[in-house]
Amino acid sequence: MALDDLKSALPDYAKDLKLNLGSVVGNSDLPTQQLWGTVLSCAIAARSATVLRALEPQAKEELSAEAYQAAKSAAAVMAMNNVFYRTRHLLSDPEYGTLRAGLRMNVIGNPGVDKVDFELWSFAVSAINGCGQCLDSHEQVLRKAGLDRETIQEAAKIASVIQAVATVLDAEKALAEG
């Protein structure tokens, strides 16, 4: 299932999502690696087999082998970090923030691709996973590296649309199964 097939699978009540999917993925101004790494990492983070199966083949075609693995790594490490750091942030006891994390996250330091691209993918996954502390951290790194707000917002738009498409398609599948 390609991008057009994914859009066609959306029900009429999700017409805005069809249009947005076409614009944020199909007509993006992001460089190919940034775009498809964001798409792949967000498709993984959205936890929808339908969406992942639809978007992964083109992502694999568009990305180098290293970028493909790095995008998957961004989704993986952010799945862990977003829960951990969101928990720290939500706890009312500030002492948790002083404790050593003790979690391996080596891929962040050496992702195998341009660090800015990996940070952008991590930012987008953090948007899906709802970790404000991670969003702030990745946004600051991206801004210091020279990325403009519009580019960062593009990643957030991709994340929001992919998450919404995943929600709708999974809901429709559940309803169809009775």
Side-chain angles (χ1 to χ4, degrees):
M1 183 185 287
L3 185 61
D4 286 336
D5 295 331
L6 193 59
K7 291 190 305 188
S8 295
L10 288 164
D12 289 341
Y13 70 82
K15 182 179 180 183
D16 289 331
L17 298 183
K18 288 181 191 184
L19 297 171
N20 288 331
L21 189 59
S23 65
V24 302
V25 176
N27 297 318
S28 176
D29 290 331
L30 290 177
T32 300
Q33 181 165 296
Q34 287 183 354
L35 170 63
W36 285 100
T38 302
V39 168
L40 179 59
S41 61
C42 288
I44 293 168
R47 299 177 189 94
S48 170
T50 302
V51 169
L52 182 58
R53 286 186 194 121
L55 297 174
E56 183 275 341
Q58 188 167 355
K60 192 169 193 174
E61 182 180 310
E62 300 287 348
L63 295 168
S64 67
E66 295 80 12
Y68 178 80
Q69 289 301 318
K72 289 173 30 176
S73 294
V77 76
M78 288 300 108
M80 174 186 70
N81 283 0
N82 293 157
V83 171
F84 181 79
Y85 287 105
R86 185 176 63 240
T87 299
R88 265 189 173 182
H89 174 74
L90 293 172
L91 288 169
S92 61
D93 183 348
E95 290 298 314
Y96 285 99
T98 67
L99 300 175
R100 183 178 166 276
L103 297 171
R104 298 235 181 232
M105 12 185 143
N106 295 333
V107 71
I108 294 172
N110 187 17
V113 294
D114 187 303
K115 181 104 165 102
V116 169
D117 292 352
F118 190 83
E119 287 287 336
L120 189 67
W121 306 337
S122 298
F123 171 84
V125 171
S126 296
I128 289 175
N129 291 334
C131 181
Q133 186 175 353
C134 296
L135 282 167
D136 282 342
S137 175
H138 295 295
E139 189 269 346
Q140 289 170 12
V141 170
L142 290 166
R143 295 288 293 143
K144 284 181 186 170
L147 235 59
D148 58 37
R149 287 179 178 88
E150 292 78 14
T151 299
I152 296 167
Q153 182 171 288
E154 280 299 309
K157 290 183 341 187
I158 292 167
S160 66
V161 172
I162 288 176
Q163 176 63 32
V165 168
T167 299
V168 168
L169 292 179
D170 285 358
E172 288 299 312
K173 181 180 178 186
L175 291 171
E177 292 171 354

